[in-house]
Amino acid sequence: DARGLQWLVADARRQKVKLESKRRSLRVAVTKMRSEQIAQYILQDFKQFLKRNFGNLFRAWRRALDIDGSMNLQRAELFKACRQLEWRGDVKTLWQALDHDSSGLTTLE
């Protein structure tokens, strides 16, 4: 009887939707992980750039990044500093690596 098997068809559909959802979730997680790895690579590149140009990160922070001495760096300050320093990296991704909590501020790490 075909009506007796409707539950089986419905269950198979639910399982298919569930599997597709898990696959989507896995793709998102992998993409996020890759983005975080790229951000960390860009952050390391920026730190090396600062060390080459200023000797150490603290000196770079005080002289080039935190001009107003607030011990905080806002997104606009970072973008301006990178332009002035002529750093050619991905500043947007650099900001994502620095602004861990999405507060719009970062401090000397």
Side-chain angles (χ1 to χ4, degrees):
D1 185 45
R3 283 183 276 168
L5 295 178
Q6 287 178 344
W7 68 269
L8 185 60
V9 172
D11 190 53
R13 266 192 234 121
R14 275 193 300 275
Q15 292 298 323
K16 183 179 177 183
V17 167
K18 192 175 179 180
L19 182 60
E20 288 171 1
S21 178
K22 284 182 180 181
R23 285 181 181 158
R24 243 187 337 269
S25 178
L26 182 60
R27 280 194 305 270
V28 167
V30 167
T31 301
K32 184 178 179 185
M33 185 175 67
R34 284 183 185 148
S35 295
E36 290 171 359
Q37 288 174 337
I38 290 168
Q40 288 306 308
Y41 173 79
I42 289 172
L43 177 59
Q44 289 304 316
D45 180 61
F46 184 65
K47 286 180 177 181
Q48 289 172 356
F49 173 83
L50 293 175
K51 286 177 185 176
R52 277 193 312 270
N53 287 285
F54 294 94
N56 63 58
L57 294 178
F58 183 72
R59 186 177 298 130
W61 178 267
R62 300 293 290 171
R63 291 187 182 171
L65 300 175
D66 185 27
I67 302 299
D68 62 3
S70 66
M71 296 307 292
N72 291 314
L73 188 64
Q74 295 179 0
R75 184 175 191 242
E77 288 178 297
L78 177 70
F79 278 56
K80 183 178 178 182
C82 287
R83 257 192 326 275
Q84 290 173 343
L85 294 170
E86 298 180 0
W87 183 65
R88 301 289 178 218
D90 183 349
V91 183
K92 251 174 130 174
T93 303
L94 173 62
W95 179 253
Q96 290 170 351
L98 290 170
D99 187 19
H100 304 289
D101 59 359
S102 300
S103 66
L105 292 173
T106 191
T107 57
L108 179 64
E109 297 177 345

